[in-house]
């Protein structure tokens, strides 16, 4: 009896110990879960679905809300105010003006990396550390966001989500959150390891890409300008709904009816020529089975073909000789600003389009480099670009005083080609009537459909061999669903990395990428991916759009209000996927919803479009030089108002 009682007590004690342990584990787990939920929800809260619009990915796939009615996520209506002030909040630092650039020690040609131009995550002395500031930026974005509960149909602020959990994180939690966002790409204040390519120009067979952020030959951070304009720092969350690709199509079509350039103060022979050209373009014969032009790629292949032919036979451009180097007449041929430099060089050398008789010209080119304008005149610590604006104003005044052509149209038949982000602000006042070909083609910064041109931002790592490494694998050998790698520039990329970085084997989403033995480099990833993610950085534009086409990868553009290159003639729905910034949590579902047949059609369109995005040492028919010039010409022709 005593033995049985002793055994019973031993058994009961064991049960009690097991019960206590189980309760302890449950309480600990719930406590840790609550902590992690606080941190996670503060960065990208889940639980709500946006009602600010559906994802316009244009791939015969349902919208994000149709994919799963219970999917919840926070939506940020982030962009730029119409007055040109930025959404979000950025600070400046050290020797950097718009992006981390470093200079190839053996090359005097300037080159920039894809930080999407003007601003780096850098900080002035005495400010917060990069990690703390970026994390607080994300929190500020979320605090100003609105979310929608699909189940209760109740709109609420983020602070009310998940039972009103507080968004006030401690510095320690901020640091931990940012570390998880950056993963392999720590925010580096002043090193050359952040977002750079290194190309061995001595050995053309060696492609020693250190990481993915798109450029060789960047300036060292010690050579950078110290800061950038104050207006670029005071960013607030824009409350306007983003402009979708469908909205842009409507705006373009409406501009053809309603937008007309300034009426010339007196008539000229050039006006008559352009009116005749417009009539011929509108009456273009139907084109069938052209060997060089793939019809689905264009809005109207017949009109494009006829317009291009008329440009070749008719267009005359006068290039002003005024302006001193390096701001004028000095092309930058390397880096992400190379588009403006290559165009300048090739137009100045062209004998077919350029005329020395301004009376013959239908277009007048203002040959300045926005990159060299910033490099030469920007005053560190000034937080202002007013002196740059004044410099261009004085140039325009000089042209107007010396020649009659600017005054005849108030500059409407003049054009500029500028890839630096600041060019949008630098030219929006005194060159507002000009046709502006801009890389930073942001609707909320004053891009005008029917007049302005979206300039492709192209990365040139080797000016002697711009077509090096062209092409990629066929669709059947593209084993990676989606790929992105790059520096954490702007508010969007950290969210992309937090959502998908090292989370899914099909989604190769990284920070900065460094080469290693047995590892694919940046270009190889693009060559083997079905979709290449092209998120905005500090600005809407990114050279990744052209890079994707270069490597025959379907671009996935995640950049609200960005007007894609050559928008007036290309049917971008045929070759790219457009995902709204708020739909990043649904990115994989959106891509998987695209049927394989549809993907193959888009990939074919990418290959057919490739000829329009390539720089050749000497221009060839339909290449990027001719396409930029054609877009300027085409917009000018269609601006001409028919006589009543």
């Amino acid at each position: 009896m005593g033995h049985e009682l002793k055994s019973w007590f031993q058994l009961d004690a064991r049960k009690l110990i097991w019960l206590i342990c189980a309760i302890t584990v449950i309480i600990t787990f719930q406590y840790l879960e609550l902590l992690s939920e606080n941190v996670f929800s503060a960065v990208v809260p889940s639980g709500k679905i946006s009602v600010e619009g559906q994802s316009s990915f244009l791939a015969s796939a349902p919208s994000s809300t149709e994919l799963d009615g219970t999917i919840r996520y926070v939506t940020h209506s982030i962009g730029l105010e119409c007055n040109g002030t930025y959404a979000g909040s950025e600070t400046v630092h050290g020797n950097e003006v718009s992006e981390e650039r470093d200079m190839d020690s053996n090359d005097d040609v300037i080159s920039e990396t894809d930080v999407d131009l003007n601003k780096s995550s850098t900080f002035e002395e005495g400010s917060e550390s990069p990690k703390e500031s970026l994390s607080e930026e994300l929190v500020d974005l979320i605090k100003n966001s609105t979310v929608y509960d699909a189940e209760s149909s109740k709109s609420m602020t983020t602070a009310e989500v998940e039972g009103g959990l507080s968004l006030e994180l401690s510095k320690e939690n901020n640091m931990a959150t940012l570390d998880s966002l950056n993963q392999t790409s720590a925010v580096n204040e002043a090193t050359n390891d952040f977002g750079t390519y290194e190309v061995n120009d001595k050995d053309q067979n060696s492609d020693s890409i250190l990481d993915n952020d798109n450029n060789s030959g960047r300036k060292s951070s010690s050579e950078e300008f110290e800061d950038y304009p104050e207006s670029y720092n005071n960013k607030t969350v824009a409350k306007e709904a983003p402009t979708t690709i469908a909205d842009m199509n409507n705006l373009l079509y409406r501009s053809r009816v309603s937008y007309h350039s300034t009426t010339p103060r007196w008539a000229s022979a050039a006006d008559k020529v352009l009116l005749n050209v417009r009539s011929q373009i509108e009456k273009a014969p139907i084109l069938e089975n052209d060997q060089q032009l793939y019809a689905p790629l264009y809005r109207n292949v017949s009109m494009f073909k006829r317009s291009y032919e008329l440009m070749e036979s008719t267009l005359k451009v006068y290039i002003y000789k005024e302006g001193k180097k390096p701001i004028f007449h000095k092309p930058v041929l390397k880096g992400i600003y190379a588009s403006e430099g290559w165009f300048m060089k090739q137009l100045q050398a062209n004998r077919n389009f350029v005329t020395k008789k301004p009376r013959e010209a239908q277009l007048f080119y203002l040959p300045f480099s926005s990159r060299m304008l910033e490099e030469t005149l920007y005053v560190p610590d000034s937080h202002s670009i007013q002196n740059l604006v004044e410099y261009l104003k004085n140039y325009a005044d000089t042209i107007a005083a010396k020649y009659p052509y600017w005054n005849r149209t108030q500059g409407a038949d003049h054009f500029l080609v500028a890839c630096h982000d600041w060019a949008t602000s630098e030219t929006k006042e005194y060159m507002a009537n000009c046709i502006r070909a801009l890389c930073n083609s942001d609707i909320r910064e004053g891009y005008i459909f029917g007049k302005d041109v979206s300039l492709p931002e192209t990365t040139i790592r080797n000016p002697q061999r711009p077509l090096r490494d062209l092409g990629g694998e066929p669709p059947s050998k593209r084993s990676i669903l989606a790929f992105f790698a790059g520096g954490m520039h702007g508010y969007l990329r950290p969210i992309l990395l937090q959502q998908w970085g090292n989370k899914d084997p099909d989604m190769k989403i990284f920070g900065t990428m460094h080469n290693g033995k047995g590892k694919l480099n940046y270009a190889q990833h693009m060559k083997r991916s079905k979709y290449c993610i092209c998120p905005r950085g500090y600005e809407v534009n990114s050279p990744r759009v052209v890079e994707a086409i270069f490597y025959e990868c379907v671009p996935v553009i995640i950049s609200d209000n960005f007007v894609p290159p050559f928008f007036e003639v290309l049917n971008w729905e045929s070759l790219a996927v457009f995902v709204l910034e708020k739909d990043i949590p649904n990115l994989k579902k959106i891509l998987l919803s695209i049927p394989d047949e549809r993907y193959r059609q888009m990939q074919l369109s990418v290959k057919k479009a490739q000829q329009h995005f390539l720089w050749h040492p000497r221009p060839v028919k339909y290449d990027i030089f001719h396409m930029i010039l054609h877009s300027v010409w085409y917009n000018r022709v269609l601006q001409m108002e028919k006589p009543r």
Side-chain angles (χ1 to χ4, degrees):
M1 179 66 180
H3 180 72
E4 291 178 357
L5 186 61
K6 182 179 179 180
S7 298
W8 184 85
F9 276 116
Q10 289 176 342
L11 182 61
D12 191 55
R14 282 195 220 116
K15 289 181 179 180
L16 183 59
I17 292 171
W18 277 105
L19 181 60
I20 292 171
C21 290
I23 293 173
T24 301
V25 169
I26 291 172
I27 292 173
T28 302
F29 178 80
Q30 289 180 339
Y31 177 75
L32 293 174
E33 185 180 38
L34 181 60
L35 284 179
S36 63
E37 185 178 10
N38 267 315
V39 174
F40 180 74
S41 64
V43 182
V44 183
S46 61
K48 309 298 165 192
I49 190 164
S50 166
V51 292
E52 292 191 29
Q54 297 175 345
S55 171
S56 179
F57 56 88
L58 306 167
S60 303
S63 70
S64 58
T65 54
E66 294 168 337
L67 287 169
D68 185 352
T70 63
I71 295 173
R72 306 172 180 184
Y73 53 89
V74 98
T75 186
H76 301 293
S77 294
I78 303 168
L80 293 161
E81 303 293 351
C82 293
N83 62 7
T85 58
Y86 283 71
S89 175
E90 259 48 288
T91 50
V92 295
H93 112 104
N95 285 321
E96 305 220 338
V97 68
S98 58
E99 73 292 331
E100 305 94 84
R101 321 174 192 87
D102 52 350
M103 174 67 83
D104 189 325
S105 59
N106 296 319
D107 198 326
D108 291 331
V109 182
I110 297 171
S111 168
E112 295 76 27
T113 253
D114 170 28
V115 279
D116 292 15
L117 298 172
N118 298 351
K119 299 157 285 297
S120 60
S121 290
T122 55
F123 301 83
E124 295 179 315
E125 183 178 356
S127 66
E128 298 170 296
S129 71
K131 293 184 178 181
E132 293 169 355
S133 178
L134 183 54
S135 182
E136 289 179 4
E137 176 187 334
L138 294 176
V139 172
D140 287 340
L141 293 174
I142 294 166
K143 284 183 178 179
N144 288 280
S145 300
T146 301
V147 295
Y148 185 82
D149 190 322
E151 296 177 349
S152 64
S153 299
K154 176 185 176 183
S155 181
M156 60 185 74
T157 63
T158 307
E160 298 171 318
V161 176
E162 302 296 341
L165 293 176
S166 172
L167 291 176
E168 297 180 1
L169 300 177
S170 65
K171 281 191 175 181
E172 291 76 15
N173 280 342
N174 282 342
M175 298 283 284
T177 301
L178 185 71
D179 285 340
S180 67
L181 290 175
N182 288 341
Q183 296 182 20
T184 59
S185 176
V187 175
N188 194 321
E189 184 169 338
T191 70
N192 296 333
D193 294 332
F194 192 98
T196 60
Y197 271 130
E198 230 178 55
V199 176
N200 184 349
D201 289 334
K202 295 180 181 179
D203 180 6
Q204 299 296 344
N205 296 319
S206 173
D207 190 12
S208 56
I209 299 175
L210 290 181
D211 63 33
N212 51 282
D213 231 357
N214 303 336
N215 298 310
S216 60
R218 301 172 67 204
K219 293 178 68 176
S220 66
S221 60
S222 63
E223 296 178 274
E224 290 295 347
F225 289 122
E226 189 167 1
D227 53 4
Y228 45 88
E230 190 68 30
S231 61
Y232 284 67
N233 303 334
N234 300 325
K235 300 185 179 182
T236 56
V237 176
K239 296 180 180 179
E240 298 91 342
T243 306
T244 66
I245 191 70
D247 296 332
M248 293 181 199
N249 289 331
N250 291 333
L251 289 169
L252 177 64
Y253 293 136
R254 280 159 48 188
S255 74
R256 294 303 183 209
V257 176
S258 61
Y259 182 82
H260 301 291
S261 66
T262 303
T263 302
R265 294 174 61 184
W266 62 86
S268 75
D271 295 342
K272 295 179 181 179
V273 170
L274 293 179
L275 284 170
N276 180 51
V277 165
R278 174 170 180 164
S279 177
Q280 292 187 58
I281 292 174
E282 291 174 341
K283 298 175 182 178
I286 302 300
L287 184 65
E288 295 182 0
N289 301 322
D290 188 273
Q291 295 298 314
Q292 286 187 275
L293 302 177
Y294 179 59
L297 181 61
Y298 305 92
R299 294 182 179 277
N300 187 317
V301 67
S302 302
M303 288 181 65
F304 170 68
K305 174 81 170 183
R306 186 63 181 133
S307 175
Y308 191 96
E309 291 172 345
L310 290 167
M311 178 187 75
E312 288 184 310
S313 62
T314 305
L315 176 60
K316 294 299 177 184
V317 179
Y318 182 76
I319 304 175
Y320 288 109
K321 298 179 177 62
E322 287 70 21
K324 296 180 180 179
K325 294 181 180 181
I327 295 173
F328 295 90
H329 306 288
K330 183 176 180 180
V332 178
L333 302 178
K334 194 174 182 181
I336 64 170
Y337 299 132
S339 288
E340 66 179 28
W342 277 74
F343 179 84
M344 181 189 298
K345 177 185 177 182
Q346 294 191 342
L347 181 61
Q348 289 178 330
N350 191 282
R351 296 182 179 179
N352 181 45
F353 297 120
V354 175
T355 179
K356 295 182 179 180
K357 300 176 181 179
R359 291 183 179 275
E360 296 180 351
Q362 296 96 32
L363 289 170
F364 297 82
Y365 175 46
L366 305 173
F368 77 94
S369 165
S370 62
R371 174 67 186 93
M372 294 309 298
L373 179 68
E374 173 262 330
E375 177 77 11
T376 306
L377 295 183
Y378 183 71
V379 179
D381 290 324
S382 67
H383 299 281
S384 172
I385 60 170
Q386 189 57 38
N387 64 319
L388 283 69
V389 174
E390 288 295 325
Y391 189 86
L392 290 181
K393 176 185 181 298
N394 292 337
Y395 174 72
D397 289 343
T398 299
I399 295 298
K402 188 173 181 178
Y403 301 90
Y405 310 107
W406 178 283
N407 295 324
R408 191 183 81 89
T409 64
Q410 298 300 303
D413 52 0
H414 289 56
F415 73 97
L416 58 95
V417 177
C419 201
H420 196 282
D421 277 356
W422 297 359
T424 305
S425 298
E426 292 161 355
T427 61
K428 70 179 179 181
E429 185 175 356
Y430 299 110
M431 296 181 175
N433 281 342
C434 297
I435 300 170
R436 301 184 303 163
L438 302 168
C439 286
N440 185 14
S441 52
D442 189 335
I443 293 173
R444 290 187 180 167
E445 285 200 23
Y447 181 93
I448 299 176
F449 288 95
K451 179 180 77 70
D452 295 331
V453 171
S454 178
L455 178 67
E457 185 176 0
T458 57
T459 301
I460 301 295
R461 295 190 291 275
N462 186 337
Q464 288 71 42
R465 297 182 61 189
L467 301 182
R468 180 184 175 189
D469 213 23
L470 178 68
E473 298 289 348
S476 60
K477 294 185 178 181
R478 291 181 176 263
S479 57
I480 302 171
L481 176 64
F483 167 69
F484 167 80
M488 295 297 101
H489 312 308
Y491 60 79
L492 189 68
R493 295 185 187 182
I495 296 174
L496 175 68
L497 186 62
Q498 190 278 333
Q499 187 72 34
W500 293 107
N502 293 331
K503 299 286 181 67
D504 190 306
D506 295 329
M507 306 288 285
K508 304 295 185 183
I509 309 298
F510 308 109
T512 49
M513 176 183 291
H514 298 271
N515 277 350
K517 292 183 178 180
K519 294 183 179 180
L520 299 180
N521 64 26
Y522 180 76
Q524 290 168 337
H525 271 88
M526 277 198 156
K527 288 173 175 285
R528 301 184 188 186
S529 297
K530 294 177 66 176
Y531 299 100
C532 290
I533 311 302
C534 307
R536 63 171 292 157
Y538 285 106
E539 297 300 338
V540 294
N541 46 300
S542 169
R544 280 176 180 78
V545 177
V546 176
E547 278 187 335
I549 295 172
F550 191 90
Y551 296 121
E552 299 173 3
C553 179
V554 174
V556 179
I557 299 174
I558 311 178
S559 181
D560 294 350
N561 311 307
F562 170 58
V563 183
F566 309 140
F567 190 71
E568 51 284 317
V569 295
L570 294 185
N571 171 25
W572 273 88
E573 291 96 323
S574 72
L575 74 150
V577 179
F578 291 84
V579 176
L580 294 179
E581 293 173 10
K582 68 182 180 62
D583 285 342
I584 284 178
N586 287 333
L587 183 56
K588 184 178 181 180
K589 285 191 176 184
I590 289 171
L591 298 180
L592 289 178
S593 71
I594 300 172
D596 186 64
E597 181 181 356
R598 171 64 177 155
Y599 161 73
R600 290 176 178 272
Q601 290 173 349
M602 285 193 292
Q603 206 269 343
L604 176 60
S605 291
V606 167
K607 292 185 67 174
K608 297 294 185 180
Q610 194 179 70
Q611 65 173 327
H612 298 321
F613 292 90
L614 302 179
W615 289 109
H616 299 268
R618 294 184 179 180
V620 301
K621 192 179 183 72
Y622 296 129
D623 70 354
I624 189 170
F625 165 75
H626 287 97
M627 288 296 289
I628 294 170
L629 190 60
H630 175 267
S631 287
V632 174
W633 150 266
Y634 191 69
N635 278 1
R636 178 59 185 160
V637 168
L638 295 187
Q639 285 176 17
M640 301 299 294
E641 189 170 7
K642 299 177 183 178
R644 296 181 180 178

